[in-house]
Amino acid sequence: MEMNQPIGLTPLDDRPDGLVGKPLSRVEGKLKVMGHVPYAYETRALKNPAYGYIVPATIASGTIRSIDADAARKAPGTILVLTHENVPEQGGKKEQVWPQLQGTAVKFYGQPVAFVVAETFEQARAAAMMVKVRYEVAKPKGLLKDSLASAYEPKPGNSPPDSKLGDFDTAFAAAPVKLDVEYVTPNQIHAQMEPHATVASWEGDGVVLYTANQMPNRGQKALGSVLKLPPEKVRIVSPYIGGGFGAKLQVQPEATLAILASKVVKRPVKVALTRQQEFHVATHRTDTIQRIRLGADKDGRLSAIGHESWSDTAEGDGFFETSANVTRSLYAAQNRVTRHRLVNLNMPIASSMRAPGEAVGQLAFECAMDELAEQLKIDPVELRVRNEPAEDPEKKVPFSTRQLVPCMREGARLFGWDKRQATGSRREGNWLVGMGMSAAARLNPLMPSAAKVRLGSDGVLVVQMAMTDPGTGTYTILTQIAGEMLGLPPERVRVEIGDTNFPMASGSGGSFGAASAGSALYVACDNLRQALLKAGDLNADGATFRDGAVTSGNRTEALTDLAGSGLEASGEIKPGEMKEKFSQYSYGAHFAEVGVDVDTGEIRLRRMLGVFTGGRILNAKTARSQAIGGMTFGVGAALMEDAVVDPRYSYFVNHDLAEYHVPVHADIPEIDAVFLPELDDKTNPLKSKGLGELGICGAGASLANAIYNATGIRVREYPLTLDKMLKGFEEQEGQAQRRT
């Protein structure tokens, strides 16, 4: 199926008792809590593995003068030490998958410079510590703010780095009300529970990887290029992933090194990054500097929107944070400009982290909108309502659906927004209390995917596709879609995913996984329905599938009778004209209440609400879980997450979970997510939209805006830590003294 026209009535419509949408608990949940799910490092499919350990560079810029690995090679249990001097031949970089141990140049701290393989993990680690590397050290570039003069326009990704409409400069200069502010967001680390891990083994002229990877088909192609292999000679198996948040979109160095070593030692090689290595060897979210300019009339209607963003990555990579992309469609204004610029630094490779672009872009832009509302003395919700566009402001096409205003209105009602008080006026003991809000928007893509289904004589429907589940609920929603389409209970559906031997799928990322994989499964199940009807010579008009049988007219036939020894079907989904004819986003609104201690600057989130629309909700329980998980991500981004760079060495000082702070239970009190009813017939046959990353978009900004409402202190450099709050209180006190 190709999405070239809106979807009409489907078997998923008008089914109040259907599986899709119900809060079904995770079908694999019991296995997980019992410890029966094998993650990549725990796979027992490959016998007698050796163990690998990465030797990372201890400088960020320079060249390798020599590597002395003699002691490591003689250490107990050592099988192999790979360096640039003996590594097998590789091809060039593909996307963000790099050949490893190439040459003597060191471009970032943590870059693998050697790889030790031994009989046990402990022996590999001990031998790795014996590898002595001598460097010619160069002064590194580690801070974005110090290197803006070398910024350049990056190559286009899925969208151009710049956009322009009308005459921004003239309109901004003429605007009666102007705002020109700069926001800074820090480097952030994914901090998923499962570290990157791989077990690799060569089988003939091909290689099999049991690895933690969110997009196996993409990884298969990239690795094939790097290894100079046809993609079909690379099999990636990733049925269970212990979290990813974008860290596992690409194949990381540990996988490539395991493959190379396995070929040399002629046995499986098993490797996992340590938690400390996760911070430098794997990818991270780049920091950004964002300049936002808003021009409006005195009623708050925008005439000019400008959003410029600078980010950085390792030399030769090219990834940039698309912070301003969401600004292109969020609010109406006739004159607009967005720009992205990239700086090459001696820092680890930057890449996607949950809601790349929108997450940090709305941390800045939604605070700027709050600043404009304060300047105009207009309610922040009302300001956004006044700038609601009738169509996509830059694409000049209609929205497929857009319920941003209803999300804000309903959120305001549920949260008690009308009780919000003037800035700095609400005090409870030592705490200043305030409310803040922000809008949320996330692009809704559809990616090519395929699926195969087979109904056996035992009445069990088997689903196969190279999709993944990084803890988001994929197994469960696929079970629900297949079960409802064929009229089967969940226990008679078996979902098999995470293997490139299965039909190609989108993988999990970009909030497109559920819609893309689910739509391919929908089409496959619809084709199987037709095959079953044909087998029974049944009329398709009015046919219903329920309780393991199909009824058409006055006939009811068991599916097992129609399937015989087994019946299978395939299906695929492709984006089509709907992608170009309509602007497709998921929307929401965040509301937060915070308290700030006037003596210590301590910030406490008191309660938080998100109201969202995402088309048809496929599972009420997992959707809410994704939303509040994203909101929790936003709390971390606003208040604590910061991978601190030491500019002398261009490395992250706080490179473990003791020093890199993420929200824990005590940080997250009352938090809730609500979904408004919506079906979007322009997006996909499920009429759904992406939700995985929507919850984080704008979430942190609602806290920052609440902090301003509580204290009158506007901090434009994230995270909003107590030292910055104390500085704000000191400045307020100084201003008060000067006035007296």
Side-chain angles (χ1 to χ4, degrees):
M1 174 186 286
E2 193 166 313
M3 283 300 299
N4 291 320
Q5 59 187 15
I7 296 295
L9 195 67
T10 78
L12 303 182
D13 294 323
D14 301 322
R15 285 284 304 276
D17 60 339
L19 270 177
V20 172
K22 293 293 187 289
L24 183 68
S25 295
R26 295 173 186 267
V27 296
E28 84 288 7
K30 184 177 180 180
L31 291 176
K32 285 182 174 178
V33 298
M34 293 178 68
H36 293 168
V37 163
Y39 292 92
Y41 198 75
E42 299 163 329
T43 182
R44 293 179 175 84
L46 300 175
K47 306 301 181 183
N48 190 32
Y51 291 80
Y53 197 93
I54 291 173
V55 179
T58 55
I59 67 169
S61 179
T63 56
I64 299 170
R65 294 178 60 186
S66 66
I67 296 181
D68 182 356
D70 288 347
R73 290 189 174 99
K74 295 174 184 177
T78 298
I79 303 168
L80 173 71
V81 179
L82 282 180
T83 70
H84 67 277
E85 297 170 338
N86 64 340
V87 70
E89 182 184 359
Q90 299 164 77
K93 167 181 170 283
K94 175 71 171 179
E95 294 180 345
Q96 286 194 293
V97 180
W98 292 68
Q100 295 299 311
L101 309 180
Q102 297 291 285
T104 60
V106 175
K107 296 183 178 180
F108 61 89
Y109 183 96
Q111 175 185 319
V113 295
F115 186 64
V116 177
V117 181
E119 294 292 344
T120 69
F121 167 78
E122 291 80 7
Q123 289 172 333
R125 180 179 59 184
M129 302 302 173
M130 300 177 189
V131 177
K132 304 301 180 185
V133 185
R134 296 178 65 206
Y135 300 100
E136 188 75 40
V137 182
K139 184 178 180 180
K141 295 188 298 180
L143 295 181
L144 175 60
K145 66 180 181 179
D146 293 342
S147 302
L148 295 181
S150 63
Y152 61 93
E153 181 179 334
K155 293 180 180 179
N158 295 325
S159 59
D162 295 359
S163 71
K164 184 178 180 181
L165 188 70
D167 185 345
F168 169 80
D169 291 331
T170 300
F172 182 72
V177 181
K178 301 180 185 65
L179 181 76
D180 186 346
V181 290
E182 182 178 280
Y183 278 82
V184 176
T185 65
N187 293 285
Q188 295 175 349
I189 306 298
H190 301 82
Q192 74 285 347
M193 284 195 292
E194 179 198 23
H196 290 85
T198 297
V199 186
S201 179
W202 284 81
E203 298 179 359
D205 60 351
V207 67
V208 179
L209 275 78
Y210 290 83
T211 189
N213 185 269
Q214 295 173 232
M215 301 179 71
N217 292 117
R218 177 181 174 182
Q220 181 185 40
K221 293 176 183 177
L223 271 176
S225 177
V226 171
L227 299 170
K228 294 186 173 182
L229 286 174
E232 61 271 16
K233 293 295 184 180
V234 180
R235 181 187 175 196
I236 292 181
V237 183
S238 194
Y240 298 102
I241 302 171
F245 310 122
K248 296 170 182 172
L249 293 178
Q250 293 83 18
V251 175
Q252 299 290 352
E254 103 287 340
T256 305
L257 289 166
I259 295 168
L260 295 170
S262 175
K263 189 171 187 178
V264 175
V265 303
K266 295 180 171 53
R267 61 190 277 195
V269 171
K270 184 175 187 175
V271 58
L273 297 186
T274 67
R275 183 58 64 181
Q276 290 77 16
Q277 288 175 343
E278 283 284 332
F279 281 70
H280 292 100
V281 177
T283 59
H284 67 285
R285 195 202 299 277
T286 170
D287 50 344
T288 72
I289 297 173
Q290 299 177 54
R291 183 188 184 191
I292 298 168
R293 288 175 287 173
L294 302 175
D297 63 21
K298 293 182 179 180
D299 291 328
R301 289 177 174 81
L302 292 165
S303 58
I305 294 177
H307 191 170
E308 299 167 272
S309 177
W310 291 261
S311 60
D312 60 81
T313 190
E315 180 183 347
D317 182 61
F319 174 87
F320 66 99
E321 192 76 30
T322 55
S323 312
N325 273 14
V326 67
T327 303
R328 296 172 182 174
S329 72
L330 200 49
Y331 301 115
Q334 293 184 346
N335 304 282
R336 324 167 63 88
V337 62
T338 66
R339 297 190 186 100
H340 296 91
R341 294 295 179 265
L342 184 61
V343 173
N344 293 332
L345 296 180
N346 296 114
M347 290 296 296
I349 297 165
S351 190
S352 299
M353 183 168 163
R354 198 173 202 182
E358 287 95 335
V360 292
Q362 291 182 2
L363 271 175
F365 194 83
E366 283 299 297
C367 285
M369 286 293 287
D370 197 72
E371 291 198 58
L372 183 63
E374 181 75 11
Q375 188 174 335
L376 289 162
K377 295 182 171 46
I378 297 175
D379 179 84
V381 173
E382 180 59 29
L383 176 65
R384 289 163 173 81
V385 172
R386 291 182 188 183
N387 289 284
E388 173 70 4
E391 63 177 4
D392 188 293
E394 297 195 19
K395 292 182 179 179
K396 299 299 182 183
V397 297
F399 295 102
S400 59
T401 59
R402 181 175 166 113
Q403 292 199 71
L404 176 56
V405 171
C407 286
M408 292 189 291
R409 295 291 197 206
E410 180 65 5
R413 185 188 70 82
L414 293 173
F415 199 71
W417 183 252
D418 59 336
K419 297 180 178 62
R420 179 176 181 259
Q421 297 179 20
T423 299
S425 63
R426 181 180 171 191
R427 182 161 180 164
E428 297 177 5
N430 226 39
W431 296 88
L432 292 171
V433 181
M435 294 185 191
M437 63 81 55
S438 69
R442 179 70 171 94
L443 188 67
N444 177 62
L446 180 67
M447 305 297 284
S449 290
K452 182 172 71 175
V453 293
R454 186 179 190 277
L455 184 64
S457 58
D458 58 358
V460 174
L461 181 72
V462 178
V463 175
Q464 290 184 330
M465 59 196 315
M467 184 55 184
T468 55
D469 188 339
T472 51
T474 306
Y475 279 102
T476 308
I477 63 160
L478 295 183
T479 297
Q480 290 175 272
I481 293 167
E484 182 158 342
M485 287 293 289
L486 274 301
L488 297 171
E491 59 269 19
R492 287 176 62 183
V493 178
R494 186 168 77 246
V495 174
E496 297 176 356
I497 58 176
D499 191 330
T500 53
N501 279 355
F502 297 154
M504 180 278 301
S506 64
S508 302
S511 297
F512 51 63
S516 303
S519 293
L521 177 58
Y522 169 92
V523 176
C525 289
D526 195 44
N527 290 338
L528 182 58
R529 285 164 61 106
Q530 303 311 313
L532 288 165
L533 291 167
K534 184 177 180 180
D537 195 25
L538 295 167
N539 190 342
D541 292 338
T544 59
F545 287 74
R546 194 182 301 270
D547 300 327
V550 56
T551 299
S552 179
N554 58 3
R555 286 179 57 195
T556 297
E557 300 285 347
L559 298 187
T560 49
D561 293 339
L562 298 177
S565 59
L567 195 60
E568 69 177 40
S570 298
E572 64 176 345
I573 189 72
K574 295 180 180 179
E577 296 176 7
M578 293 293 96
K579 181 178 72 171
E580 306 300 329
K581 290 182 176 179
F582 294 90
S583 181
Q584 298 184 19
Y585 284 81
S586 300
Y587 294 100
H590 296 281
F591 294 82
E593 181 179 279
V594 302
V596 182
D597 189 288
V598 294
D599 291 329
T600 66
E602 178 187 0
I603 300 166
R604 282 289 176 185
L605 175 65
R606 295 160 63 108
R607 60 191 181 100
M608 192 174 185
L609 170 70
V611 178
F612 306 103
T613 56
R616 171 176 272 125
I617 301 303
L618 302 177
N619 182 304
K621 183 180 291 186
T622 59
R624 180 177 180 274
S625 176
Q626 283 293 290
I628 63 174
M631 293 164 71
T632 303
F633 234 93
V635 174
L639 301 184
M640 59 192 71
E641 292 195 49
D642 185 1
V644 180
V645 178
D646 185 329
R648 298 171 298 171
Y649 309 111
S650 287
Y651 87 123
F652 298 127
V653 180
N654 52 337
H655 50 270
D656 58 40
L657 293 185
E659 298 292 337
Y660 181 84
H661 293 166
V662 297
V664 296
H665 287 314
D667 297 312
I668 307 298
E670 182 182 344
I671 184 169
D672 198 8
V674 174
F675 295 95
L676 301 185
E678 182 178 75
L679 296 176
D680 192 332
D681 63 357
K682 318 292 192 310
T683 56
N684 55 66
L686 305 176
K687 303 179 182 178
S688 68
K689 288 184 174 181
L691 285 179
E693 294 164 296
L694 179 62
I696 189 177
C697 296
S702 70
L703 270 74
N705 293 337
I707 290 165
Y708 177 80
N709 177 243
T711 65
I713 298 171
R714 179 68 68 180
V715 179
R716 299 190 183 95
E717 182 174 351
Y718 288 97
L720 281 61
T721 47
L722 59 85
D723 57 313
K724 297 169 187 173
M725 296 305 301
L726 288 174
K727 182 179 179 182
F729 281 127
E730 289 172 2
E731 290 175 352
Q732 283 184 341
E733 185 176 349
Q735 291 169 1
Q737 289 175 350
R738 285 192 293 272
R739 285 195 296 268
T740 58

